């Protein structure tokens, strides 16, 4: 129970729309208008799906899970927690999944899901947007993404089951302490030991610190910790 009263489960109420600009945009509008914790927006198709750092996110109709949840009093590590939850859901499809900090979910080194957390901390809500490439075929990706994007290779009929699994797994992770989230991210850390470049420097990824930041060890032995959102990473 939260200070504001009993919390319902995730996914209720559920607004499902055939075509939307962006499920995150709609969920933000609902959150700002007072929608309760757990409110879910899904779409078959987005006309203007949004990604992190101003990028766009697109998928052919009906082949991706396109979902956004309104969360009240979200945990500090929500972006990392969401990556872990999605990785667990991907593994239910029989593949092993890693997380590329902060929350890109990789299968076989390819990104199969994207997560966009937006919110108003002062109003104590966040919108957790998750796109999962459930049933995309290799040809569905634009040429510039064909080497890096991946798919769970399921059928379009699996989108609803993927959503149900995601809500169940997320609900469990939202109850868990931050240390458990950090342990899980460290176990799935796709960047550890890789050479990282970002706008202000480069070095070797050396794990995730207690704040959920990416630790980088530079050539001279010094360490820096990067906050999600402040960097656009390249890695080899
Ligand atoms: C990223 O990897 O850059 C994040 C992509 C997030 C995409 C999802 S799809 C559902 C939700 N609605 C949006 O407009 N974006 C998120």
């Amino acid at each position: 129970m939260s200070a504001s009263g009993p919390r319902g489960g995730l996914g209720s109420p559920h607004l499902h729309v055939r075509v939307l600009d962006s499920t995150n945009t709609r969920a933000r509008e609902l959150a700002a208008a007072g929608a309760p914790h757990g409110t879910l927006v899904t779409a078959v198709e987005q006309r203007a799906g949004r990604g992190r750092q101003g990028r766009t996110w697109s998928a052919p109709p009906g082949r991706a899970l396109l979902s956004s949840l309104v969360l009240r009093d979200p945990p500090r590590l929500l972006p990392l927690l969401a990556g872990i939850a999605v990785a667990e859901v991907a593994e239910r499809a029989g593949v092993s999944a890693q997380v590329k900090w902060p929350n890109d979910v990789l299968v076989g080194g390819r990104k199969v899901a994207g997560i966009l957390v937006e919110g108003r901390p002062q109003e104590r809500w966040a919108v957790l947007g998750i796109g999962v490439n459930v049933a995309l075929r290799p040809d569905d990706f634009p040429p510039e993404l064909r080497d890096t994007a991946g798919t769970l290779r399921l059928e379009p009929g699996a989108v609803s089951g993927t959503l149900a699994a995601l809500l169940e797994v997320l609900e469990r992770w939202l109850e868990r302490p931050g240390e458990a989230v950090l342990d899980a991210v460290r176990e799935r850390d796709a960047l550890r030991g890789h050479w990282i470049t970002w706008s202000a420097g480069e070095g070797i990824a050396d794990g995730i610190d207690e704040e959920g930041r990416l630790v980088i060890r530079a050539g001279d032995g010094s360490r820096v910790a990067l906050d999600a959102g402040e960097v656009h990473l390249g890695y080899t």
Side-chain angles (χ1 to χ4, degrees):
M1 203 183 282
S2 75
S4 55
R7 287 156 85 96
L10 299 181
S12 174
H14 181 182
L15 173 67
H16 181 67
V17 184
R18 210 188 73 72
V19 186
L20 267 182
D21 280 351
S22 155
T23 56
N24 258 43
T25 303
R26 178 60 66 87
R28 284 174 58 160
E29 291 164 0
L30 293 174
H37 175 83
T39 299
L40 171 67
V41 179
T42 54
V44 176
E45 184 181 353
Q46 294 184 126
R47 279 185 298 236
R50 294 186 289 107
R52 294 178 57 230
Q53 296 171 328
R55 292 187 292 257
T56 57
W57 179 270
S58 63
R63 291 189 167 267
L65 171 61
L66 305 169
S67 63
S68 299
L69 278 165
V70 174
L71 301 176
R72 303 261 165 207
D73 292 329
R76 183 176 55 92
L77 296 174
L78 178 62
L80 302 184
L81 177 160
I84 292 302
V86 175
E88 282 191 5
V89 170
E91 289 192 342
R92 292 190 182 189
V95 292
S96 90
Q98 286 189 299
V99 175
K100 179 181 162 227
W101 182 89
N103 54 24
D104 284 347
V105 179
L106 308 182
V107 169
R110 290 170 173 270
K111 176 168 167 170
V112 298
I115 293 167
L116 177 64
V117 179
E118 303 180 294
R120 294 230 185 110
Q122 68 279 20
E123 293 175 22
R124 296 165 58 193
W125 59 259
V127 163
L128 171 59
I130 299 181
V132 184
N133 295 338
V134 174
L136 275 77
R137 300 149 297 194
D139 285 353
D140 287 324
F141 296 111
E144 66 275 15
L145 293 183
R146 286 204 184 136
D147 291 339
T148 54
T151 160
L152 297 183
R153 293 177 177 270
L154 300 173
E155 294 301 317
V159 170
S160 60
T162 304
L163 172 62
L166 180 62
L167 296 176
E168 178 200 317
V169 174
L170 268 175
E171 197 139 1
R172 189 158 37 77
W173 275 104
L174 283 168
E175 296 298 322
R176 302 197 66 186
E179 302 84 68
V181 174
L182 292 171
D183 286 346
V185 176
R186 289 171 182 140
E187 272 169 32
R188 293 186 186 273
D189 183 358
L191 290 180
R192 193 172 189 112
H194 283 269
W195 188 256
I196 305 291
T197 58
W198 74 102
S199 54
E202 55 186 11
I204 294 201
D206 200 19
I208 311 293
D209 74 6
E210 293 303 306
E211 306 296 321
R213 297 174 301 187
L214 178 68
V215 178
I216 309 277
R217 186 163 32 89
D220 63 3
S222 64
R223 285 165 186 269
V224 282
L226 305 180
D227 269 318
E230 77 180 7
V231 287
H232 177 64
L233 296 177
Y235 80 117
T236 53

